[in-house]
Amino acid sequence: MAQPLAPLRPELDIMPSPVPDQPGLLIRDPFQYSDATIIVPPLLARGLIFFDGEHTDLDLQEFLARATGDLRTTEAARNLIDSMSECGFLDSQEFHEMRDRKQREFAEAGVRQPAHAGIAYPSEADALREKLRDYGTAEGSNSTATDSLVALAAPHVSPEGGFRSYAAAYGRLGPQYVDRTFIILGTSHYGEPEKFGLTRKPFVTPLGTIRTDHALVDWLAAEAPQSIEMEDYCHASEHSIEFQCVFLQQALGG
């Protein structure tokens, strides 16, 4: 008896292909367990409904045969199944091993490397500083700096889309804050529900390395152990903290 196909992972990014001469569905992994990005052609994209944990490869073959009028669909079905599995897009043993390896690599890494440099902002320091100056977030460019700040509310959208709000927020910082410890609270798009994801890792950006206050992190973990996920893998690809680090470094001359 044929075994059910492994189900499609529900957290994948699936969207219409942006490539005019390659129609279909673009699929990628927002968690970056897999680095693959694929475009599934329209006919095969219709076959993705069979990756639900209930249908088998025979069901997929039958669908393709009916859709094409060609009974020789075994190879096409197998290629789709193998591609989805190899890319880590199915909730399978292969994906579980891929996920566990990625989480282990992040936990063992000494620093948190920038995940969005070269994508959401320039990856070279000089180019990044120039871009930030264009945004109006250069050090000392804002006359609203004050000594009495308790917190800043800043966006976590891409810098290109929210630079005016970033400038308004980080323009409140002046050199008197250089030696302060900043607690950055960022929206987690990938973390565990009802948990705070913490990391002891220094954050690296093109502007340098931001040191983490280990004593403060350890204190938080000790005071609220049930509420904290330490070395949360969500930090590996999450942008909401990374963007704040870049603007914080620029504001304080990092």
Side-chain angles (χ1 to χ4, degrees):
M1 183 177 179
Q3 294 295 314
L5 295 169
L8 199 65
R9 290 171 49 205
E11 68 272 15
L12 296 172
D13 284 338
I14 302 178
M15 64 196 75
S17 169
V19 183
D21 60 351
Q22 288 185 270
L25 291 179
L26 182 146
I27 305 178
R28 64 189 181 192
D29 183 359
F31 287 81
Q32 298 182 14
Y33 293 126
S34 169
D35 297 327
T37 298
I38 65 172
I39 295 176
V40 182
L43 177 59
L44 293 179
R46 290 167 56 195
L48 294 178
I49 63 173
F50 294 95
F51 293 89
D52 60 359
E54 297 181 5
H55 289 87
T56 70
D57 60 337
L58 298 179
D59 296 320
L60 177 59
Q61 290 176 38
E62 180 183 0
F63 161 75
L64 293 175
R66 291 180 180 275
T68 62
D70 188 343
L71 297 179
R72 297 167 297 177
T73 59
T74 301
E75 184 176 357
R78 177 47 51 191
N79 287 341
L80 177 61
I81 295 167
D82 289 346
S83 295
M84 297 296 290
S85 180
E86 290 168 5
C87 289
F89 293 161
L90 302 180
D91 189 3
S92 62
Q93 181 61 34
E94 190 168 8
F95 162 66
H96 293 168
E97 292 173 359
M98 183 183 297
R99 176 198 61 197
D100 293 347
R101 183 175 65 255
K102 286 280 192 172
Q103 291 183 348
R104 183 171 60 253
E105 289 172 353
F106 176 76
E108 294 173 353
V111 299
R112 193 277 191 182
Q113 295 290 348
H116 300 274
I119 303 172
Y121 58 86
S123 59
E124 298 295 329
D126 290 343
L128 177 54
R129 290 191 180 96
E130 181 178 355
K131 175 63 72 173
L132 292 171
R133 283 194 294 270
D134 291 343
Y135 289 158
T137 58
E139 180 188 6
S141 65
N142 197 313
S143 60
T144 60
T146 176
D147 299 353
S148 58
L149 283 180
V150 175
L152 291 177
H156 66 270
V157 298
S158 68
E160 193 70 32
F163 66 88
R164 291 182 179 85
S165 294
Y166 282 115
Y170 284 94
R172 306 289 293 180
L173 293 180
Q176 67 271 33
Y177 291 98
V178 167
D179 295 325
R180 300 288 185 90
T181 294
F182 291 82
I183 300 174
I184 303 177
L185 299 176
T187 298
S188 175
H189 297 86
Y190 314 117
E192 187 175 339
E194 309 300 327
K195 292 276 190 176
F196 289 95
L198 298 185
T199 179
R200 299 182 178 89
K201 302 183 192 307
F203 271 60
V204 177
T205 82
L207 301 181
T209 300
I210 292 183
R211 293 180 292 109
T212 301
D213 188 332
H214 288 183
L216 178 56
V217 172
D218 292 342
W219 179 82
L220 290 170
E223 291 296 311
Q226 302 304 315
S227 300
I228 284 172
E229 184 77 17
M230 185 57 70
E231 300 307 343
D232 192 348
Y233 177 82
C234 76
H235 283 292
S237 57
E238 179 58 67
H239 61 264
S240 62
I241 300 293
E242 181 175 333
F243 291 167
Q244 308 307 322
C245 289
V246 169
F247 282 98
L248 190 61
Q249 285 174 308
Q250 177 72 358
L252 299 179

